[in-house]
Amino acid sequence: MTPDTIDRPVASPRRDRRRAFPAAPGQYLVWLLVAVLALAPLAPLLYTSFLSKPYYLPGGVFSTDAYRQLFADPAFRTAALNTVVFAATATVTAVVLGAAFAVLVTRTDLPGRRLLGPALLAPLLIPPLGLIVGWESLYGPSGYLTQLWHKNLHLPAWNLTSLPGMTALGAVTTLPIAYLTCKAVLEGADGSLEDAVRASGGGTWRTLTTVTVPMLRTALLDSAMLIFTLCLEVLGIPLFLGRPANIQFVASYLYDTWSNSMVPDPPTVSAGAMLLLVVASATLLLRSRLLRNGNRYTAGTRATPPAKPIALARWRWPVTTGTAAFVALTSVIPLLGLALMSSVTALTTLVAPWHLFTADNWRQIWNDPSLHRAITDSLTVAAIGSVATVALVALATVIAERSGFRLRRTLPALLVYPRATPGIVFGVGFFWLFLIVDWPGAMLRNSLWGELIALCVRNMTLAYIILAPALSRLSPELAKAAASVGAGWWTTTRRITLPLLRPALISAVVLMFVTLVSDYDPVVFLTKPGTELLGTSMLQTWSKGLPGPVAALALVQVLLVALALGLGLGWTLRKKDRRHA
């Protein structure tokens, strides 16, 4: 053995493998896939909005006629005004109630707060169309409780199909967002300031107004901007509740212009979708600028809640009763009404419900090929889409947070933007994308896979908001140790980072499954006979005047969501038991 042989270092097979398979090409591929999925639908939408004719007709030239026609249409102007009023009113109501409930649950001696807190999240877990149908069956103009209250008791009744009535439902569905945002701030804030105010003789009202509410300024602003953006895209509420009163929002105006007109006008629909996109994007930009210096409102950084909760004194039980009644009236009773409506021929106070029981609604969704197929297609989309989306988002999140990839800082924005974009905008964009791009557009346009892609892209933000915080809590030391012995980035990610993220990955899959089963906005322009999903089938069946089968389909959605959540919770509890053992 020569000295040259002794001094020459032995090559590490892992280092050779890392050089043979560098991380950068794979990272570029993941980044390119995320960028194309998030941004590609918006380019054809902008292009088709400036055509004088639909893309599939010859002779189209560059024109702004679609925008001029849109602004000249009184129906669109009315729909835009209704949308702004609805979004503003629902946002204020949701933020005020959400913040109040967060304060009650986290900062007071409210009895039963450990049960009432999770119960306030029910509208976030119930499929939106199921909640709407449940409300309509009980609180609508011919709803069971409306009839009982007005016709039988001869008392003044509410009008759910009015703008205030729809606003109330919109506030209920978005309230959990404000509640969770404010609750997170209150649980992580330093409570010594509140203790100091009480120690100096300040009462409950002074403590709330001088410390607690100012502590929530950033959370209130954050949740308000997000809720306002979500309210701009609402489609189910105006379609189910607004049509009887001829009240339209921008989303329902675009849907009806496309679906119900004898000659659809795609340039006008594309122009309306672009305007909705611009308003939503401007709202998000304003939100980011306003929250840039939001840390100055933080009261502290130590997670030290008050030593003594704020005493509600004689208001304890009235407030508890009111909170429980709110949960019952907004979530529990509508779910019971949904179940009842799916099992009777008609829901009326003139005849006792047990005399009207029938299985016809359930037989119809089983025997009708389109309705039965909608259930199986939704399960297919949710099962495949949730796993595929979480896998892609997990890789993108690790690249964004734990790599030296030069474009990594753009990935969070690309992952967040789709959810901030109105679902109906994504639907129109994907329709044109599949039409303009001949391959694989032609295949995707006429199959369930196109709808799966639209739904997954629209909701991949939800997987990111679960995985990003979980990844930030993992120490990078193990990855550094693996790199020090020659492991490449992909090896470290596959063998160390992703296994450590397993609980967050499971949670993300469950959340994505629940969302994909319930969502429908991005596919209302993509659905064709043979590719129906639960949400779109419910819209079509409701337009035919068949509330019973719609209620049965909605209850199927609720049961699928409950099953997914139950399996996810069971897996979490088993992991905890093994850890303790």
Short mmCIF file of all heavy atoms in Angstrom, two decimals, residues 378-388 509 513 516:
data_model
loop_
_atom_site.label_atom_id
_atom_site.label_comp_id
_atom_site.label_asym_id
_atom_site.label_seq_id
_atom_site.Cartn_x
_atom_site.Cartn_y
_atom_site.Cartn_z
N SER A 378 -67.43 12.23 -5.22
CA SER A 378 -66.92 13.10 -4.15
C SER A 378 -65.96 12.34 -3.25
O SER A 378 -64.92 12.89 -2.83
CB SER A 378 -68.08 13.66 -3.33
OG SER A 378 -68.83 14.59 -4.07
N LEU A 379 -66.28 11.08 -2.94
CA LEU A 379 -65.36 10.27 -2.13
C LEU A 379 -64.05 10.05 -2.86
O LEU A 379 -62.96 10.10 -2.26
CB LEU A 379 -66.02 8.93 -1.79
CG LEU A 379 -67.04 8.94 -0.66
CD1 LEU A 379 -67.73 7.59 -0.55
CD2 LEU A 379 -66.35 9.28 0.66
N THR A 380 -64.11 9.79 -4.16
CA THR A 380 -62.90 9.58 -4.95
C THR A 380 -62.03 10.83 -4.96
O THR A 380 -60.82 10.78 -4.74
CB THR A 380 -63.26 9.18 -6.39
OG1 THR A 380 -64.06 7.99 -6.37
CG2 THR A 380 -62.02 8.95 -7.22
N VAL A 381 -62.66 11.98 -5.24
CA VAL A 381 -61.93 13.24 -5.28
C VAL A 381 -61.32 13.54 -3.92
O VAL A 381 -60.15 13.95 -3.82
CB VAL A 381 -62.87 14.38 -5.73
CG1 VAL A 381 -62.23 15.74 -5.47
CG2 VAL A 381 -63.21 14.24 -7.20
N ALA A 382 -62.08 13.36 -2.85
CA ALA A 382 -61.59 13.68 -1.51
C ALA A 382 -60.45 12.75 -1.10
O ALA A 382 -59.46 13.20 -0.51
CB ALA A 382 -62.73 13.61 -0.50
N ALA A 383 -60.58 11.46 -1.39
CA ALA A 383 -59.56 10.49 -0.97
C ALA A 383 -58.25 10.70 -1.73
O ALA A 383 -57.17 10.81 -1.13
CB ALA A 383 -60.07 9.07 -1.16
N ILE A 384 -58.34 10.78 -3.05
CA ILE A 384 -57.12 10.94 -3.85
C ILE A 384 -56.57 12.36 -3.71
O ILE A 384 -55.36 12.56 -3.53
CB ILE A 384 -57.41 10.61 -5.33
CG1 ILE A 384 -57.84 9.15 -5.48
CG2 ILE A 384 -56.19 10.89 -6.19
CD1 ILE A 384 -58.25 8.77 -6.88
N GLY A 385 -57.45 13.34 -3.78
CA GLY A 385 -57.00 14.73 -3.74
C GLY A 385 -56.35 15.11 -2.43
O GLY A 385 -55.37 15.86 -2.42
N SER A 386 -56.88 14.62 -1.31
CA SER A 386 -56.31 15.00 -0.02
C SER A 386 -54.88 14.48 0.12
O SER A 386 -53.98 15.21 0.55
CB SER A 386 -57.18 14.47 1.12
OG SER A 386 -57.31 13.06 1.05
N VAL A 387 -54.64 13.23 -0.26
CA VAL A 387 -53.30 12.65 -0.14
C VAL A 387 -52.33 13.32 -1.10
O VAL A 387 -51.20 13.70 -0.72
CB VAL A 387 -53.36 11.13 -0.39
CG1 VAL A 387 -51.95 10.54 -0.40
CG2 VAL A 387 -54.21 10.45 0.67
N ALA A 388 -52.75 13.50 -2.36
CA ALA A 388 -51.86 14.10 -3.35
C ALA A 388 -51.53 15.55 -3.00
O ALA A 388 -50.38 15.99 -3.12
CB ALA A 388 -52.51 14.03 -4.74
N VAL A 509 -54.31 15.87 6.00
CA VAL A 509 -55.08 14.99 5.12
C VAL A 509 -56.55 14.99 5.54
O VAL A 509 -57.46 15.05 4.68
CB VAL A 509 -54.50 13.55 5.14
CG1 VAL A 509 -55.46 12.58 4.48
CG2 VAL A 509 -53.16 13.52 4.44
N PHE A 513 -59.56 16.30 3.24
CA PHE A 513 -60.68 15.40 2.90
C PHE A 513 -62.01 16.06 3.22
O PHE A 513 -62.94 16.06 2.39
CB PHE A 513 -60.53 14.09 3.68
CG PHE A 513 -61.58 13.07 3.34
CD1 PHE A 513 -61.35 12.13 2.36
CD2 PHE A 513 -62.80 13.05 4.01
CE1 PHE A 513 -62.33 11.19 2.04
CE2 PHE A 513 -63.78 12.12 3.71
CZ PHE A 513 -63.54 11.18 2.72
N LEU A 516 -62.62 18.94 0.69
CA LEU A 516 -62.91 18.49 -0.67
C LEU A 516 -64.29 17.86 -0.78
O LEU A 516 -64.93 17.93 -1.84
CB LEU A 516 -61.83 17.52 -1.14
CG LEU A 516 -60.42 18.10 -1.30
CD1 LEU A 516 -59.44 17.04 -1.75
CD2 LEU A 516 -60.42 19.27 -2.28
#
